[in-house]
Amino acid sequence: MRHIPANLLPGKPYPLGATWDGLGTNFAVFSAHAQRIDLCLFDPSGRREVTRLAMPEYTDEIWHGYLPNAEPGTVYGYRAHGPYDPQRGHRFNSNKLLLDPYASRLVGNLHWTDALHGYRMQSPRADLSFDRRDSAAGMPKAIVTDEAFNWGDDRPPNVPWSETVIYEAHLRGLTKLREDIRPNERGTFAGLADPAVIDDLRRLGITAIELLPIQTFLQDRMLLQKGLRNYWGYNTLGFFSPERTFLSNGSANEIRMAVRRLHAVGIEVILDVVYNHTAEGSELGPTLSFRGLDNASYYRLVPDNPRHCINDTGTGNTLNLLHPRVLQMVMDSLRHWVWSFHVDGFRFDLGVTLGRESYGFDPNGGFFDALRQDPVLSHVKLIAEPWDIGPGGYQLGQYSPGFAEWNDRYRDGVRRFWRGDPGQRPDFAARLAGSADLFSHHGRRPWASVNYAASHDGFPLADAVSYVGKHNEANGEDNRDGQGDNFTANWGVEGPTDDKSIQALRAAVTRAILATVLFSNGTPMLLAGDEFGRTQQGNNNAYCQDNAVSWLDWDLAGSAEGRALTAFTARLIRLRHAHPILRCARFLYGKEELPGGILDIAWFDEQGRGISPEAWNDPAQRTLVLRRAARADDGTIPVLTLLLNPTEERRLFHLPPPTMITSVLIDTAAPEAPEQPLTETTVTVSAHSAVLLLATVGGKS
């Protein structure tokens, strides 16, 4: 930057952040309770503070000023002056350099020292004490940016929800071990954009990749002291800036190129985002940005003791979306990722927290209302994790229209059914049909249920059929962390085994579960690597395992077993795309009768008989037949029948009437067998297997 003036010009209170206009940069930052805010300029490395300039104007609780000749690349931070009065919720300390909440690019890394805290950590008065050390040396700094990028003919794929198949992946873990990618690009957006990776995703048939957090996140001090790392990234420091370790060349354009290449083959990009809390932790955490700018506004504090943060998130603090400026920041951040990076949707971590009003969770709370009316965000995919740890924190099925939700009841029900638990048929049937008992209200559709058998949070699918207990010793918490009951089975041996019969049984259950997920009504989600049998060695909480425990093992993917399971998974996805009734856009209730006396949905036992209420409630009955039918565009009526046998022996299924010319689309016990006609009215279904049949009324089969 050229000559720095002695004072800032007044500038404007909007937009927030640092905005370059070609001649200089406008700086604007929110604080309702600060008495003064200084703009601190640094040399390009961020190591030396060059000057401090007081923000000259304060409009509508926005501090702002304009710096002529400040170009992209200008490095800066803030210092906020005001009361240090924790018992009233105020934690101003001008000795602490603060990151701009709207920073879209950072320089330097956070280096843990006690000076990052606003109080003296060893003081007997704890956070009521005051620390006078300058924290700038340990802080990353913001950089003024120019977001220009040539998007060419990029268009969002706009895949309908009913046709969506989600692939949940960690950006780093996806390509870190791929030897066909240049070493410096492994684990980055450049790796994701590699044609070999995109070809693999395209061949698998998924329509959307959902990435674990890619916004700038913090490496926890406690984990670093243990020699571990925050791998998952649910500890956001910057809501507008990408995590720099995910960029091979340091440029955010790497993200844009990856998105553009994925869009070109019809794959959407969904971001897992964390707006329920920040990386600053509890009142005993560091002062890095929000806490130092306005602790009482950015965080929800205990009403009768504002020294303490409300902790509905389990991470120490809860972002205060009841404050209009905090809500504005979240909305601005979401639009930033859509406008600047063309992402296609968001999955909201601990979504219940985002809907908490002063009286509790409200599906029509301010944040949800803001999303639903927003002309940009109301048109992208919105997915909620429908729980947090606060009061009334489990809200599955209670979100407003427009949201899909992670359905953990689906995950648990599918695992229990195929594990062979008694009494599972009624609940399992509801999950297969789209969980209408949870989502059929306010005009919501089956796609609102995100159906999955495994996600990043818990066992991958291979471990769900290989372990009964969790094995999280490597996390350094004496195996106390992670969910206790995972509804899993090891089928005779805990962990790896050379027993061929157990290996075959695990493979059969795995295929049956994958078929269930892809053949259920709702939105299927696959965990990256489940298509070839990845394992976390029994760790069901690998949040801190930035190593081979979490990274996808592409040698396994290239093995004979891995290739076979990948081909089988791709075949399931092709069947889902080929047969609309497997992804019906509306709930079926068995009330619509089609020609031939066939109902749109019906359930039968293995004898081909309708299931009586007494039989539904018989815990010993475990096999199940699901038949669905719908009129096709050509006037024919495809009829798909799914036979499910979770028992330990082969079972003879009698097809329900009426008799139709039928073909076997896929048998999970014979994954490589081609489609073939069925000449009998009975089908033998192997143990722990499923068979999908197709008949056509009014046309040829």
Side-chain angles (χ1 to χ4, degrees):
M1 172 182 168
R2 288 174 286 180
H3 171 71
I4 301 175
N7 299 291
L8 294 170
L9 299 178
K12 299 178 180 179
Y14 185 84
L16 288 161
T19 307
W20 180 60
D21 64 7
L23 298 176
T25 299
N26 189 80
F27 295 89
V29 62
F30 159 72
S31 179
H33 298 102
Q35 296 167 349
R36 189 181 97 212
I37 288 185
D38 294 335
L39 172 68
C40 303
L41 301 179
F42 289 80
D43 70 352
S45 70
R47 296 188 181 92
R48 182 174 62 88
E49 185 173 337
V50 176
T51 190
R52 297 184 194 181
L53 301 170
M55 300 288 268
E57 294 291 336
Y58 185 55
T59 306
D60 296 334
E61 299 182 337
I62 304 296
W63 296 85
H64 54 97
Y66 182 85
L67 183 60
N69 301 320
E71 301 173 341
T74 300
V75 178
Y76 72 99
Y78 292 117
R79 297 182 189 271
H81 302 257
Y84 187 83
D85 189 355
Q87 292 178 319
R88 294 177 55 212
H90 300 308
R91 296 179 179 273
F92 293 98
N93 186 335
S94 60
N95 300 292
K96 309 305 169 185
L97 187 77
L98 306 175
L99 191 64
D100 183 355
Y102 278 69
S104 59
R105 183 183 169 198
L106 307 183
V107 63
N109 297 312
L110 186 138
H111 300 285
W112 279 108
T113 69
D114 289 355
L116 294 175
H117 292 72
Y119 64 96
R120 298 192 305 277
M121 291 191 69
Q122 310 306 321
S123 170
R125 300 184 67 235
D127 61 307
L128 296 180
S129 63
F130 188 79
D131 189 281
R132 300 184 182 281
R133 289 173 292 182
D134 191 338
S135 69
M139 280 291 296
K141 285 82 178 177
I143 304 178
V144 177
T145 62
D146 176 13
E147 296 289 327
F149 180 75
N150 185 354
W151 281 98
D153 59 354
D154 180 72
R155 295 290 185 275
N158 287 324
V159 178
W161 262 115
S162 60
E163 298 177 16
T164 297
V165 178
I166 297 173
Y167 187 79
E168 191 203 22
H170 189 286
L171 179 77
R172 178 171 168 84
L174 181 66
T175 63
K176 186 62 179 174
L177 296 179
R178 285 198 66 137
E179 295 184 355
D180 56 343
I181 295 176
R182 286 180 288 187
N184 68 306
E185 294 183 350
R186 296 171 191 168
T188 70
F189 273 97
L192 175 62
D194 190 278
V197 175
I198 292 178
D199 283 348
D200 283 347
L201 297 175
R202 180 183 55 79
R203 284 193 295 266
L204 186 60
I206 59 101
T207 70
I209 184 168
E210 181 178 307
L211 297 173
L212 268 68
I214 67 158
Q215 295 170 331
T216 298
F217 56 86
L218 191 66
Q219 289 298 330
D220 309 64
R221 192 176 195 177
M222 178 190 69
L223 289 178
L224 293 176
Q225 289 170 345
K226 293 180 179 180
L228 301 171
R229 291 180 60 81
N230 176 9
Y231 176 67
W232 284 355
Y234 292 95
N235 206 17
T236 312
L237 179 60
F239 294 115
F240 292 77
S241 57
E243 171 61 30
R244 283 175 294 155
T245 60
F246 294 162
L247 305 175
S248 68
N249 61 12
S251 171
N253 285 343
E254 198 172 297
I255 304 174
R256 298 178 176 98
M257 293 175 66
V259 170
R260 189 172 176 184
R261 288 179 179 174
L262 287 163
H263 282 181
V265 297
I267 296 176
E268 297 180 315
V269 178
I270 297 171
L271 301 185
D272 195 336
V273 288
V274 187
Y275 294 108
N276 56 79
H277 74 280
T278 79
E280 290 183 310
S282 73
E283 60 274 3
L284 298 178
T287 295
L288 308 175
S289 178
F290 316 96
R291 174 162 291 134
L293 286 167
D294 196 340
N295 183 70
S297 294
Y298 274 106
Y299 295 119
R300 291 179 59 212
L301 307 178
V302 177
D304 58 354
N305 189 1
R307 174 184 175 184
H308 300 289
C309 294
I310 290 174
N311 186 22
D312 288 335
T313 63
T315 62
N317 68 56
T318 303
L319 207 58
N320 182 22
L321 267 68
L322 299 179
H323 194 291
R325 290 299 185 189
V326 181
L327 176 61
Q328 177 188 2
M329 177 189 71
V330 172
M331 298 296 290
D332 286 349
S333 169
L334 291 168
R335 282 189 292 265
H336 169 73
W337 290 97
V338 175
W339 281 336
S340 187
F341 295 95
H342 286 203
V343 303
D344 304 282
F346 302 95
R347 180 264 190 188
F348 294 95
D349 177 64
L350 299 186
V352 169
T353 301
L354 306 179
R356 286 193 179 276
E357 300 293 315
S358 58
Y359 47 84
F361 174 78
D362 187 344
N364 296 309
F367 173 67
F368 299 138
D369 287 348
L371 277 177
R372 291 176 67 188
Q373 64 77 44
D374 189 275
V376 175
L377 301 176
S378 61
H379 296 288
V380 302
K381 287 184 167 68
L382 304 173
I383 305 171
E385 183 182 44
W387 50 78
D388 67 11
I389 70 164
Y394 189 74
Q395 295 291 336
L396 177 64
Q398 300 305 309
Y399 279 72
S400 55
F403 269 88
E405 303 175 36
W406 272 28
N407 189 347
D408 64 328
R409 282 190 60 182
Y410 181 96
R411 175 199 63 199
D412 296 346
V414 167
R415 289 183 179 185
R416 295 187 69 183
F417 179 83
W418 287 109
R419 188 172 68 172
D421 290 10
Q424 295 303 305
R425 285 205 309 184
D427 183 77
F428 180 71
R431 303 309 137 232
L432 273 177
S435 297
D437 57 326
L438 299 173
F439 297 102
S440 180
H441 57 83
H442 296 103
R444 300 183 79 183
R445 298 297 185 93
W447 57 257
S449 175
V450 176
N451 300 331
Y452 64 103
S455 70
H456 75 274
D457 190 1
F459 284 132
L461 186 53
D463 287 1
V465 299
S466 302
Y467 295 90
V468 171
K470 59 183 181 177
H471 299 269
N472 301 350
E473 290 81 6
N475 294 355
E477 299 178 44
D478 297 323
N479 205 33
R480 295 188 304 268
D481 61 303
Q483 187 169 329
D485 191 355
N486 299 274
F487 304 109
T488 60
N490 62 24
W491 305 102
V493 174
E494 186 76 350
T497 178
D498 294 327
D499 188 312
K500 299 297 183 183
S501 63
I502 294 177
Q503 290 178 355
L505 181 53
R506 290 175 176 176
V509 176
T510 296
R511 292 192 298 268
I513 290 176
L514 286 169
T516 302
V517 172
L518 271 305
F519 295 162
S520 296
N521 229 16
T523 302
M525 183 181 80
L526 299 175
L527 175 62
D530 277 356
E531 74 274 17
F532 56 77
R534 69 172 288 255
T535 175
Q536 290 177 175
Q537 303 165 30
N539 192 320
N540 77 346
N541 189 34
Y543 75 101
C544 57
Q545 298 297 322
D546 188 3
N547 50 47
V549 170
S550 297
W551 303 339
L552 270 62
D553 181 355
W554 290 99
D555 287 340
L556 177 63
S559 69
E561 296 81 4
R563 291 196 305 271
L565 187 57
T566 299
F568 172 75
T569 306
R571 184 178 176 187
L572 296 176
I573 295 174
R574 287 197 301 273
L575 285 170
R576 182 178 181 88
H577 289 320
H579 298 284
I581 194 62
L582 294 176
R583 45 183 171 82
C584 189
R586 59 186 177 86
F587 288 107
L588 305 176
Y589 296 101
K591 297 180 179 179
E592 180 183 352
E593 185 172 322
L594 301 165
I598 299 171
L599 297 177
D600 56 357
I601 188 170
W603 304 93
F604 305 92
D605 62 19
E606 64 187 277
Q607 299 301 318
R609 302 172 302 209
I611 303 176
S612 66
E614 293 77 16
W616 274 118
N617 294 316
D618 182 352
Q621 299 299 318
R622 292 160 55 193
T623 59
L624 192 59
V625 177
L626 165 60
R627 188 172 69 189
R628 287 169 284 184
R631 194 181 301 274
D633 293 339
D634 62 0
T636 62
I637 300 172
V639 181
L640 285 170
T641 304
L642 183 61
L643 315 177
L644 301 143
N645 177 19
T647 72
E648 295 76 21
E649 64 275 341
R650 293 159 60 105
R651 303 293 277 266
L652 184 67
F653 282 70
H654 295 260
L655 299 187
T659 301
M660 295 175 282
I661 299 174
T662 304
S663 61
V664 178
L665 292 183
I666 195 167
D667 180 350
T668 64
E672 297 179 2
E675 297 179 15
Q676 53 190 319
L678 181 67
T679 58
E680 306 289 337
T681 59
T682 58
V683 179
T684 299
V685 182
S686 298
H688 309 290
S689 297
V691 175
L692 182 66
L693 308 175
L694 170 67
T696 304
V697 175
K700 297 180 180 180
S701 62

